[in-house]
Amino acid sequence: MIAHRSAAATALAGKLRPLLLAGAAMLMTAAQAPDRVTPMTPDVIDHYEQTLPSADFVRREVMIPMRDGTKLYTIIMMKKGVKNGPILLSRSPYDAHGSAHRVASQRIVDNLDVMDTEFAEDGYVIVHQDIRGMHRSEGQYIMNRPIVGPLNDTGIDESTDAWDTIDWLVKNVPESNGKVGIIGSSYLGFTTLMAEINPHPALKAAVPESPMVDGWMGDDWFHNGAFRMSSLDYAVGQAFNKGDGGGEFALGEGDHYSRYLEAGSAGDFARKLGIEKVPGVRKFLENPAYTDFWSLQAVDKWLAERPLTVPTMLELGQWDQEDSYGAPAVYRVLEPKDKNNDMVSLVIGPWRHSGANHGGWSLGALDFAGDTAKEWRVKWMKPFFDHYLKGAPAPRTPPVLTYATGINEWQTSPRWPMGTQTPLYLAADGKAGFAKPAQAGHDDYVSDPAHPVPFLPRPIDMGDATQWKPWLVHDQRFVSDRPDVAVWQTGPLDKPVHIMGAPQVDLFAATSGTDSDWVVKLIDVYPNDVPEPADQGGKPSMAGYELPIGIEIFRGRYREDFAKPVAIKPGKVERYSWALPNVNHVFLPGHRIMVQVQSSLFPLYDRNPQSFVDNIMFAKPGDYKKATQSIWHGGASASSVMLPIVP
């Protein structure tokens, strides 16, 4: 009887269960339903998830622990369904979250930067990370944190952070194949190179793009001792609010040429804006010479002391306005370690800083043969990673790949530089040629710090990307007629002159002052009858265009020793030697080769007072004096620009 009733009850319960569950669901829904909205219902919500179930990708946000306990914010993205995918890592001070949330879209290619899209579509796991102390990561930020050693006794640097990050990724991303590549431009180029110092075994390939390598010799902060005023802006912006913004200079509207000139020295400018106590600013102002403070931070020197174990493709733009020094410097120390000429390659494209990661059809007034940047990424860079990370066939990466501007074509070569240094001599009457003048002479100009030569036509806005990014290809006719700019040029060429390498300046000069800056420009002068009128899209006619092929500055006080500045003896002819940026360029028949020499490039570089002071950053108003500059040519003082000419 009991058993019979239990069976009946069980059957009844089975029939009622769906009704009971439906009723319970209705009660729960009613209990969870929000109150009815009223005109006074608050409109703020805690979160809106932009990644919908329909998205074609997976996004994870994690905090990866470092060996000291600090956790670094990291975004991991991949297309849905990825299996056995290689990892492509970038480590940045510029907001990893933003780099993976470019557009609110359900397609992975819309969310990521252009440089990532080909990889994301091909099953790569894309990883972006905030370096320590920046944006959403924990820890303290130190700009270009030195490697563990004489300047850093913490046991922690960007190399160890890269190692710890890679170790965590290969153990915690089940969709990966355990192989990692690293890539990045500018500061990210620095962190890419740092990952190659004591590299994790899973790191199989690296592409440092326009890397920050030596901030004093020629990347970012100084060039041959001359200080870049924009470095102050960068230091403050990075230091404030973990790099999240709000540190911009309150200069107001107007011509920055006037703003910087009115402020005085770099130190006076810092005091005027109240930034003189910012640690990054102090590092610049208190260390103007190439002492151990800077020389022991040079990444190429660190890499020179270590074995080459990671296949590396170094990339930079021919007109890189920020980091033209680093990649060739690293190539010089790594290439001798590459015994089979297959571990290190160098790429120089017709781009501005980080231009390889954007559209490469043009730069300023110049047009190229198609999208040169995408062509490099698809034809050479991705196959390089595919080989080392996915086991694809050998990509036959050329030892050196450069774009020959002037004739607009990619060229491969077995080494760099390729050209033979051939002097282009300065001569009397503003002439230049390949024959050494027998008779010595000089051309003079007066350099006045109260009226420095601008690096762009005024008004200048240092924060305007349309001015800053293409400035190295700007037509130089805007200063050719200034009395404080000396000019020499060849006659029209009767045959092409092809250069592949870094032109070298060999300048004999005297000054009536006790210190001086020297700026040399190598220029391709277009024929004045180019039958191409200015178009309606804003590009100028190339008729008579004075195209800079290389511009570089040298601070005279460092002619003997970069670490120990010494005054110049007034009137004494001194020899100054330095390199212009690396280029592959063809001066075409009918064009002329021009050399310009001047003693300021403002406000990109601080003004030299032209009277020797211990620390040029704190020069006083009375220290800034006019000076007569004499550029010698011919005889025993035959100034020239050495051109690396190939047949």
Side-chain angles (χ1 to χ4, degrees):
M1 185 72 175
I2 295 175
H4 176 72
R5 286 201 296 202
S6 296
T10 300
L12 179 61
K15 294 178 180 179
L16 293 176
R17 184 175 292 113
L19 297 174
L20 293 171
L21 290 174
M26 292 176 64
L27 289 172
M28 290 177 64
T29 301
Q32 294 174 353
D35 295 335
R36 295 182 62 187
V37 295
T38 73
M40 287 301 294
T41 300
D43 288 302
V44 177
I45 61 175
D46 292 332
H47 177 71
Y48 166 60
E49 179 53 61
Q50 292 181 323
T51 305
L52 305 178
S54 60
D56 71 354
F57 62 90
V58 175
R59 176 190 280 127
R60 301 181 191 132
E61 300 184 17
V62 297
M63 297 296 289
I64 297 181
M66 301 294 102
R67 62 190 64 185
D68 65 343
T70 299
K71 295 179 180 178
L72 304 187
Y73 174 81
T74 309
I75 288 187
I76 303 167
M77 291 184 68
M78 70 196 86
K79 293 201 74 171
K80 287 180 177 177
V82 165
K83 294 180 181 179
N84 203 37
I87 294 171
L88 189 63
L89 170 65
S90 296
R91 306 190 60 250
S92 171
Y94 301 130
D95 186 15
H97 184 269
S99 68
H101 293 76
R102 292 179 61 251
V103 178
S105 168
Q106 305 312 305
R107 301 196 315 156
I108 192 170
V109 294
D110 296 332
N111 282 265
L112 295 171
D113 292 328
V114 170
M115 62 173 283
D116 289 327
T117 56
E118 290 94 358
F119 295 98
E121 289 282 26
D122 194 31
Y124 277 70
V125 179
I126 308 299
V127 179
H128 292 262
Q129 182 181 74
D130 288 331
I131 63 173
R132 62 172 58 218
M134 296 303 283
H135 302 282
R136 303 185 182 199
S137 283
E138 299 174 352
Q140 289 185 329
Y141 170 67
I142 296 176
M143 191 161 57
N144 297 114
R145 181 184 291 266
I147 195 172
V148 171
L151 302 180
N152 178 358
D153 62 359
T154 66
I156 301 298
D157 56 29
E158 297 297 351
S159 175
T160 65
D161 282 354
W163 201 101
D164 294 345
T165 297
I166 293 171
D167 194 61
W168 189 95
L169 289 171
V170 297
K171 293 175 180 177
N172 292 277
V173 180
E175 298 89 346
S176 84
N177 64 4
K179 296 181 179 180
V180 179
I182 189 165
I183 187 173
S185 182
S186 193
Y187 202 119
L188 286 72
F190 163 74
T191 58
T192 296
L193 288 174
M194 291 296 288
E196 298 191 61
I197 296 174
N198 305 317
H200 191 284
L203 181 62
K204 303 300 183 182
V207 178
E209 303 172 285
S210 301
M212 301 166 71
V213 170
D214 192 324
W216 195 94
M217 291 301 300
D219 289 328
D220 290 296
W221 322 132
F222 298 80
H223 277 222
N224 297 310
F227 179 62
R228 289 194 154 200
M229 294 291 287
S230 55
S231 305
L232 300 174
D233 190 3
Y234 183 88
V236 174
Q238 292 293 94
F240 186 80
N241 198 27
K242 297 186 72 174
D244 282 335
E248 295 83 6
F249 289 164
L251 289 174
E253 297 295 327
D255 186 358
H256 284 180
Y257 179 99
S258 298
R259 296 275 191 243
Y260 282 70
L261 187 61
E262 292 162 359
S265 66
D268 288 335
F269 181 82
R271 281 192 291 268
K272 181 176 181 179
L273 290 176
I275 61 171
E276 72 274 18
K277 294 183 180 179
V278 174
V281 172
R282 290 185 58 195
K283 290 176 181 179
F284 299 141
L285 299 182
E286 296 172 14
N287 298 278
Y290 197 56
T291 60
D292 287 350
F293 186 94
W294 296 115
S295 64
L296 293 182
Q297 293 190 50
V299 181
D300 56 327
K301 294 182 175 65
W302 300 340
L303 291 167
E305 298 174 353
R306 289 163 172 79
L308 172 63
T309 59
V310 179
T312 302
M313 178 181 286
L314 294 152
E315 178 275 321
L316 76 153
Q318 180 162 300
W319 286 287
D320 190 312
Q321 78 279 12
E322 296 177 27
D323 295 304
S324 61
Y325 178 86
V330 171
Y331 176 80
R332 284 194 296 272
V333 300
L334 292 187
E335 198 277 333
K337 304 174 189 285
D338 187 8
K339 301 303 182 184
N340 296 321
N341 209 19
D342 60 356
M343 284 281 284
V344 177
S345 59
L346 177 67
V347 176
I348 304 176
W351 310 309
R352 47 94 175 173
H353 183 67
S354 297
N357 296 325
H358 303 280
W361 295 277
S362 63
L363 180 63
L366 302 181
D367 290 317
F368 307 121
D371 187 346
T372 57
K374 184 175 182 179
E375 184 180 7
W376 168 68
R377 294 195 304 265
V378 173
K379 189 174 180 180
W380 284 287
M381 190 256 283
K382 187 172 182 296
F384 170 79
F385 275 126
D386 286 348
H387 173 62
Y388 290 106
L389 303 184
K390 299 180 74 174
R396 298 181 181 177
T397 304
V400 179
L401 173 70
T402 55
Y403 192 85
T405 54
I407 58 174
N408 287 350
E409 67 178 35
W410 287 106
Q411 297 181 336
T412 63
S413 52
R415 63 188 183 278
W416 193 260
M418 284 293 293
T420 300
Q421 294 289 3
T422 305
L424 176 71
Y425 291 104
L426 310 185
D429 302 320
K431 296 180 180 179
F434 294 103
K436 182 179 179 180
Q439 187 173 355
H442 59 88
D443 290 314
D444 299 347
Y445 62 89
V446 175
S447 173
D448 184 357
H451 302 282
V453 182
F455 81 103
L456 278 173
R458 298 174 62 184
I460 295 173
D461 181 351
M462 298 291 282
D464 183 351
T466 64
Q467 291 189 22
W468 174 241
K469 290 180 179 179
W471 86 263
L472 277 173
V473 296
H474 197 284
D475 190 346
Q476 295 301 299
R477 282 178 289 187
F478 79 102
V479 296
S480 290
D481 294 331
R482 281 182 62 120
D484 51 359
V485 176
V487 179
W488 296 263
Q489 66 178 334
T490 67
L493 300 175
D494 58 6
K495 61 181 180 180
V497 175
H498 188 180
I499 61 174
M500 297 180 71
Q504 303 288 320
V505 175
D506 190 20
L507 185 71
F508 291 87
T511 176
S512 64
T514 52
D515 197 2
S516 179
D517 284 350
W518 307 104
V519 178
V520 170
K521 305 173 184 176
L522 177 65
I523 297 169
D524 184 343
V525 182
Y526 281 59
N528 203 32
D529 57 355
V530 174
E532 296 181 6
D535 64 25
Q536 299 302 310
K539 285 186 181 268
S541 165
M542 297 303 290
Y545 200 95
E546 294 180 3
L547 173 67
I549 304 305
I551 300 177
E552 195 55 277
I553 192 170
F554 188 94
R555 183 143 285 174
R557 59 175 44 211
Y558 299 115
R559 68 201 179 281
E560 297 179 4
D561 190 332
F562 287 135
K564 299 175 181 178
V566 293
I568 300 172
K569 184 178 179 181
K572 181 182 179 183
V573 179
E574 301 267 17
R575 189 174 193 173
Y576 302 89
S577 299
W578 71 97
L580 300 181
N582 285 268
V583 299
N584 181 351
H585 182 73
V586 179
F587 298 89
L588 295 173
H591 290 225
R592 299 170 185 260
I593 303 176
M594 175 183 284
V595 175
Q596 292 182 2
V597 180
Q598 59 200 56
S599 292
S600 51
L601 202 59
F602 190 77
L604 175 57
Y605 293 98
D606 65 330
R607 294 173 301 147
N608 192 313
Q610 301 181 159
S611 59
F612 186 85
V613 294
D614 288 338
N615 187 338
I616 206 167
M617 301 292 198
F618 299 107
K620 303 301 181 186
D623 297 326
Y624 292 87
K625 299 176 181 178
K626 293 181 181 180
T628 298
Q629 315 287 63
S630 299
I631 310 301
W632 284 77
H633 43 74
S637 302
S639 294
S640 69
V641 175
M642 307 289 287
L643 302 181
I645 296 177
V646 296

